[in-house]
Amino acid sequence: MTATPTRPTSGVKVLSLPMHDPRVKPLLDELAVEYSTRYGNLFGNVQDELRRYPAEEFAAPHGALLILQENGESVAGGAFRRYDSHTAELKRIWTHSSHRRRGLARLVLAELEAEAVRRGYRRIYLTTGPRQPEAKNLYLATGYAPQFDLDADPEEIKHLAFVKRLGQ
């Protein structure tokens, strides 16, 4: 099962880009603000977190970084990297704050899943933070299986892990 957008997203282009492309900068800039606002220093320095993985991990053949553009503006995006030989790990899923509630995150998931299948992956792994209930609900709604107790306090879990089999 792959994610599908819930609202029309006509006019949206999907671009596969390297991390250093200027069209990726809005994703990283807004993620830094989002992480700082929601988490402060709970997980350490935000910039360190955003630089934790080298850019080449999100490049072919094992990774990908996709940006959705609308009218020349980067409005959503996300990436994956190799987790193991059969599993891609999603990272940096983002929708611009002024473009939320349009189904763009679902479209990003669907595009990332399709690209992961093309790269030979059979499974997706991801984690999200305890203060991102929108992300948790998106993953649950799009067929991702939680690897944690849904009734537990997310703040105690810290990293909410999910998995999904691809090509089903």
Side-chain angles (χ1 to χ4, degrees):
M1 170 158 104
T2 47
T4 55
T6 57
R7 298 203 177 114
T9 54
S10 62
V12 173
K13 292 191 296 188
V14 180
L15 306 174
S16 179
L17 301 171
M19 186 70 75
H20 65 273
D21 189 288
R23 294 168 289 186
V24 176
K25 189 173 177 353
L27 176 151
L28 298 175
D29 289 349
E30 199 167 21
L31 275 176
V33 170
E34 186 91 16
Y35 291 168
S36 290
T37 302
R38 290 191 190 222
Y39 296 107
N41 285 325
L42 180 66
F43 296 117
N45 179 285
V46 169
Q47 291 303 323
D48 289 345
E49 170 58 28
L50 289 173
R51 287 189 297 265
R52 178 186 295 190
Y53 305 102
E56 51 274 5
E57 289 193 24
F58 300 106
H62 301 297
L65 189 149
L66 304 178
I67 293 292
L68 303 185
Q69 281 214 320
E70 184 175 54
N71 301 318
E73 177 188 9
S74 295
V75 295
F80 68 79
R81 61 191 280 275
R82 180 186 178 108
Y83 186 74
D84 65 34
S85 61
H86 303 291
T87 309
E89 180 181 17
L90 296 186
K91 302 297 288 179
R92 315 292 183 244
I93 306 298
W94 160 83
T95 301
H96 190 284
S97 58
S98 63
H99 292 276
R100 292 184 179 158
R101 311 289 309 158
R102 296 180 48 209
L104 295 172
R106 285 178 180 257
L107 180 57
V108 168
L109 284 178
E111 292 291 335
L112 288 170
E113 290 171 5
E115 187 61 29
V117 167
R118 284 190 289 273
R119 304 275 175 96
Y121 292 112
R122 293 182 282 188
R123 194 172 88 113
I124 297 270
Y125 170 81
L126 67 88
T127 60
T128 192
R131 298 179 187 167
Q132 293 172 266
E134 310 90 340
K136 178 180 116 179
N137 292 334
L138 171 66
Y139 301 134
L140 289 170
T142 54
Y144 285 78
Q147 304 301 290
F148 58 94
D149 180 353
L150 286 170
D151 295 324
D153 179 359
E155 290 286 325
E156 290 183 20
I157 299 169
K158 290 213 172 28
H159 300 281
L160 310 180
F162 293 86
V163 296
K164 182 177 183 179
R165 295 234 172 264
L166 297 172
Q168 296 179 357

